Amino acid sequence: MIYLDHNATTPIDERVLETMLPFLQVFYGNPSSLYRHGRLVRSAIDSAREQVAALVGVQPTQVIFTSGGTEANNLALTAIKWGSSLAISAVEHPSISEPAENWAKLGCDVKLIGVDHNGLVTQDAITDTIRHGPTLVSIMLANNETGVIQDVASFTQQLRAKGIVVLTDAVQAVGKIPVNYNHLGVNMMTLSSHKIYGPKGCGALIFDKATHIKPLLWGGGQEQGYRAGTENAPAIIGFGKAAELAALELAQRAERLLKLRKFLEDRLMAIPGITIFAKDTERLPNTVQFGIEGMDGEMLLMKLDQKGIAVSSGSACASGGGKPSPVLAAMGVSSGLAKSAIRISLGKGNTETEIIEFTDLLQTLVIPG
Ligand SMILES: Cc1ncc(COP(=O)(O)O)c(C=O)c1O
């Protein structure tokens, strides 16, 4: 298989798996148990917390482990006060936009922050948002479909000056570009392990103590009382190792991926009728989303799948729904072109040979005969 869908999920890094195995096989103690067998697991979780904290430049106490990016985003949104208002960018992941829709049904005023044709939040939209004065604003750092990177630091400065709480979903950004919580100036940031070669079912909310979040799960008081439930120790420990490796290898991974992405884009542009979305905008080094007028993205995905090539026809969560991507719609892409969208997200294991094989096949599928 040629796997070109790393924004959906990444294969687990061998070194991460090795770190996790003893905590599945030997050290199975409950980290809350006071005897040695439990204390040992607690200590490994503490190290993982330090590793994740170091990746984004925060104190370990600012990290709350969750079951993934989705839970971290839902937990962050509990900072909204009852009856107050919320503003989210028009290109957020469903783990932000769906709870926001639910908040709207419960009577919360929810506004969308518009983006331009490149998927970038505009200064006008921020000025407008500030005028409405929401309690909380959510702007993702990098988009899962287009890879477009937002200028979160500059928006945060303006929003926080007005006392607005800022959340950024950094699930796709972290491990691909440098991400520093303090540099971005946000109140909250969310991460996911399985996007950085860690195990699935683990993520984190990074927060400051001045931001009043409320637990989604109540129970034994784990994670400083913000996320009860016996910790998923092997996954947390794997996430920690993945975070350590991401920090160590970030520059080298990003440089290699960017080269490979440019190689892919040159070959894509040689195929007639292809539009690369947000082509000249700052994007993640691994992500390219394109459309081909007149084609059906999901049909194309199936044909590529038959040849052993895994790509996405939009965000993984939305695929299969048959609806054009809300992200592309927000960018003003016509529904015909949006329905033809294919997302390629490269990973550290991909090679030029794979790109050649993929683009050669794509060419035959786009121009039959
Ligand atoms: C931008 C973004 N946020 C959040 C999530 C959800 O993360 P998880 O799969 O860990 O729940 C994803 C997953 O695709 C994502 O791409």
Side-chain angles (χ1 to χ4, degrees), residues 3-304:
Y3 186 75
L4 303 174
D5 201 18
H6 293 79
N7 286 8
T9 195
T10 53
I12 198 159
D13 188 298
E14 275 295 319
R15 296 164 292 180
V16 170
L17 182 63
E18 255 171 50
T19 310
M20 290 172 67
L21 281 176
F23 293 91
L24 287 159
Q25 294 168 319
V26 187
F27 306 117
Y28 50 79
N30 187 319
S32 296
S33 299
L34 296 179
Y35 42 79
R36 214 180 89 80
H37 201 54
R39 290 200 315 270
L40 206 138
V41 182
R42 165 67 54 213
S43 153
I45 289 179
D46 288 345
S47 301
R49 199 182 303 282
E50 282 168 17
Q51 289 164 319
V52 171
L55 178 63
V56 291
V58 296
Q59 295 301 315
T61 51
Q62 293 180 262
V63 179
I64 301 170
F65 286 119
T66 64
S67 66
T70 299
E71 187 191 325
N73 279 334
N74 277 259
L75 182 57
L77 291 180
T78 64
I80 306 164
K81 291 193 193 76
W82 199 249
S84 65
S85 64
L86 162 71
I88 67 168
S89 92
V91 293
E92 296 297 288
H93 185 266
S95 56
I96 291 283
S97 59
E98 288 291 317
E101 210 169 287
N102 200 44
W103 276 96
K105 282 184 197 144
L106 294 171
C108 179
D109 177 34
V110 179
K111 293 244 169 346
L112 279 190
I113 307 172
V115 295
D116 65 13
H117 68 284
N118 286 318
L120 285 169
V121 166
T122 62
Q123 181 53 49
D124 281 355
I126 293 294
T127 308
D128 207 39
T129 301
I130 290 173
R131 200 147 26 82
H132 282 106
T135 308
L136 191 149
V137 160
S138 179
I139 301 175
M140 74 195 327
L141 189 50
N143 187 266
N144 43 300
E145 292 185 38
T146 57
V148 166
I149 299 167
Q150 305 288 347
D151 189 359
V152 170
S154 125
F155 298 146
T156 303
Q157 218 172 20
Q158 303 172 53
L159 293 162
R160 288 201 60 183
K162 300 289 176 191
I164 299 168
V165 172
V166 183
L167 158 67
T168 194
D169 173 342
V171 163
Q172 292 294 347
V174 86
K176 296 173 190 146
I177 56 170
V179 175
N180 182 285
Y181 174 89
N182 293 314
H183 171 71
L184 292 172
V186 292
N187 301 88
M188 296 182 283
M189 173 191 279
T190 53
L191 311 175
S192 174
S193 155
H194 74 108
K195 312 287 187 183
I196 61 164
Y197 306 93
K200 293 169 183 57
C202 192
L205 171 66
I206 312 295
F207 77 127
D208 59 49
K209 290 286 164 62
T211 305
H212 299 290
I213 52 167
K214 296 171 222 53
L216 291 171
L217 301 176
W218 296 81
Q222 290 89 347
E223 296 299 301
Q224 304 174 59
Y226 291 113
R227 206 282 182 177
T230 301
E231 297 88 340
N232 184 356
I236 290 172
I237 291 158
F239 183 20
K241 183 66 185 177
E244 182 194 69
L245 293 170
L248 275 173
E249 298 173 1
L250 180 79
Q252 162 210 333
R253 285 184 197 176
E255 192 191 326
R256 198 181 158 273
L257 284 171
L258 189 59
K259 247 193 226 155
L260 205 55
R261 194 194 82 188
K262 287 193 172 142
F263 181 73
L264 166 63
E265 287 178 349
D266 286 347
R267 294 185 65 89
L268 285 174
M269 291 310 284
I271 301 175
I274 284 199
T275 305
I276 295 180
F277 301 121
K279 183 167 185 298
D280 298 318
T281 307
E282 196 188 355
R283 281 175 291 137
L284 293 173
N286 78 320
T287 309
V288 188
Q289 192 181 34
F290 60 90
I292 312 163
E293 200 66 72
M295 298 288 299
D296 180 308
E298 288 198 354
M299 287 285 284
L300 205 49
L301 179 153
M302 295 309 203
K303 285 184 181 162
L304 289 164

